[in-house]
Amino acid sequence: ARACSRCSQTGHGLFRARFGPQSAQGAPPGMPMARIACLLCVLLQDLVSAARVTGPGPIVQTGGAQFIESYGVPKLEVLNTSNDTEAAAFLSEWSDAQHFGLFVQLVPDNRAFFPRRAGLVGISRGTKVLLFNLKPHMRKAPRPLPKHLKSFLEKDGRTFLGLGVTSPVAHLAFEWDTMVRCIDYRVRSWRQMKVDGGLFALANLYFGTHWTRKPSVRTLKGQAVYTYLQWAVAEYFMTFHGQPQDDWVLTQAELFAYGPRHVRVEKPEHEWDEAREQWVKMKGERSEDRTQKSKEIQWYWNPRNMSLQDRDERVVSK
């Protein structure tokens, strides 16, 4: 139905003109060959539109925040913009706050064979959510974030919390030259937190919701809900289990391990030489630990190092 609504009978006429009337043999538009050609046309248009999604576009003002309602969350005040001045006015109400929820969405790059890039930054506190679209600011050569958003993210004393944000924050550091002081719940966080099920499992466990189907992050509502829940989980644990510790913050070496080292700002403010050395050292220590553990296992199961009774006990225990 979608194919017929796009090209109607014109598409079938083009099909006959391209392949000749003998290929369709004068059949009506509902024949399989015509359908296949029409569906291929639809698929090609979808691929072209997907490739254009990260291209630079106009930076416009949205006219203010809007209110979004969704299951499991309160009424959210959401500002979706790509204008730095408009974002600065929205962020000015949080000038004295220290902890925020963070959500960074990675989008496909419009250049072939390149991985995804950071295309959306979501910041939340309370029921207010900022969604800053980075697609209009994307260029082939990476450059820093807009100055107001960059200064807000890098201000001393501010900590951003989220689940699974190590790789996205590394993208911000390499592609946009913005070093965010961030805590990833999966890496280091409160010992009472159970992160195996994901963000919505945490919401079901601690907020009494019953999320069975996650909202899509391709929609504005889904992006707002994801960003809000990052803050809501942090607020819950800060209320009942204490403030986050400074040693939970992701180190520069950990960001270097996840960073897209082929996409960098030409003259970055942050140097990565020391982080590279720390990462190489950490990598070597992990390799030595794995080697030592392998040797211990081999020695443990070597028949020359055990009696018959020990061997039988170890086999039974295994």
Side-chain angles (χ1 to χ4, degrees):
R2 188 160 63 108
C4 294
S5 64
R6 287 198 181 187
C7 57
S8 186
Q9 296 182 358
T10 305
H12 301 297
L14 294 175
F15 172 77
R16 290 194 181 94
R18 173 65 179 84
F19 297 100
Q22 67 278 6
S23 59
Q25 297 180 357
M31 290 300 292
M33 288 296 294
R35 287 183 183 178
I36 292 174
C38 200
L39 291 174
L40 288 176
C41 174
V42 173
L43 178 61
L44 180 60
Q45 292 181 11
D46 291 342
L47 290 175
V48 170
S49 62
R52 292 174 179 171
V53 71
T54 58
I59 301 175
V60 296
Q61 291 188 357
T62 59
Q66 55 182 309
F67 292 92
I68 292 179
E69 296 182 0
S70 179
Y71 169 77
V73 298
K75 190 175 183 180
L76 302 177
E77 182 181 356
V78 182
L79 175 63
N80 181 26
T81 183
S82 59
N83 186 279
D84 191 34
T85 305
E86 191 175 17
F90 187 82
L91 295 172
S92 61
E93 301 181 9
W94 295 335
S95 57
D96 298 331
Q98 296 182 347
H99 300 96
F100 302 89
L102 180 68
F103 170 71
V104 181
Q105 183 183 14
L106 302 181
V107 299
D109 197 342
N110 55 1
R111 293 172 293 165
F113 307 112
F114 275 76
R116 299 177 298 171
R117 298 178 62 179
L120 178 78
V121 177
I123 304 173
S124 61
R125 183 176 174 87
T127 57
K128 301 187 65 175
V129 176
L130 169 67
L131 298 176
F132 194 90
N133 187 8
L134 298 177
K135 296 174 186 176
H137 302 273
M138 277 187 179
R139 297 297 183 271
K140 187 174 182 180
R143 60 181 184 177
L145 279 179
K147 61 177 184 179
H148 292 105
L149 181 62
K150 180 179 173 65
S151 62
F152 182 86
L153 291 173
E154 291 187 336
K155 185 176 181 179
D156 294 338
R158 282 184 180 153
T159 305
F160 297 84
L161 303 97
L163 180 65
V165 295
T166 303
S167 179
V169 168
H171 278 263
L172 285 180
F174 277 82
E175 299 171 13
W176 300 96
D177 196 23
T178 302
M179 192 66 64
V180 182
R181 191 174 187 269
C182 185
I183 294 177
D184 191 342
Y185 303 144
R186 291 190 185 277
V187 181
R188 288 179 295 272
S189 64
W190 293 271
R191 60 182 180 84
Q192 297 89 351
M193 182 179 291
K194 301 177 181 179
V195 298
D196 295 337
L199 186 62
F200 290 92
L202 287 173
N204 292 338
L205 183 61
Y206 298 110
F207 304 148
T209 56
H210 300 280
W211 289 96
T212 57
R213 185 177 180 182
K214 302 177 183 178
S216 174
V217 293
R218 296 183 179 181
T219 63
L220 177 64
K221 181 182 292 186
Q223 294 165 356
V225 170
Y226 268 84
T227 307
Y228 167 76
L229 287 180
Q230 300 280 32
W231 161 251
V233 171
E235 184 181 31
Y236 174 87
F237 278 88
M238 285 190 294
T239 303
F240 294 99
H241 302 288
Q243 297 295 312
Q245 305 297 322
D246 292 337
D247 55 354
W248 294 354
V249 178
L250 295 173
T251 64
Q252 199 169 357
E254 292 172 335
L255 295 180
F256 181 84
Y258 285 88
R261 288 179 280 279
H262 60 281
V263 182
R264 292 189 182 183
V265 180
E266 294 183 359
K267 297 180 180 179
E269 298 179 4
H270 308 281
E271 299 295 336
W272 294 94
D273 296 336
E274 184 177 356
R276 184 186 296 106
E277 295 177 358
Q278 295 178 0
W279 177 71
V280 172
K281 183 179 179 181
M282 291 168 52
K283 192 175 180 180
E285 293 176 353
R286 292 175 183 174
S287 179
E288 292 178 359
D289 293 341
R290 287 195 297 267
T291 303
Q292 182 65 23
K293 187 175 181 180
S294 177
K295 290 181 179 179
E296 292 177 356
I297 293 175
Q298 292 177 5
W299 182 91
Y300 185 83
W301 289 102
N302 191 343
R304 297 180 180 178
N305 300 326
M306 67 178 78
S307 62
L308 292 177
Q309 182 179 0
D310 293 338
R311 183 179 62 183
D312 294 339
E313 292 178 355
R314 293 178 186 179
V315 169
V316 170
S317 63
K318 183 180 180 181

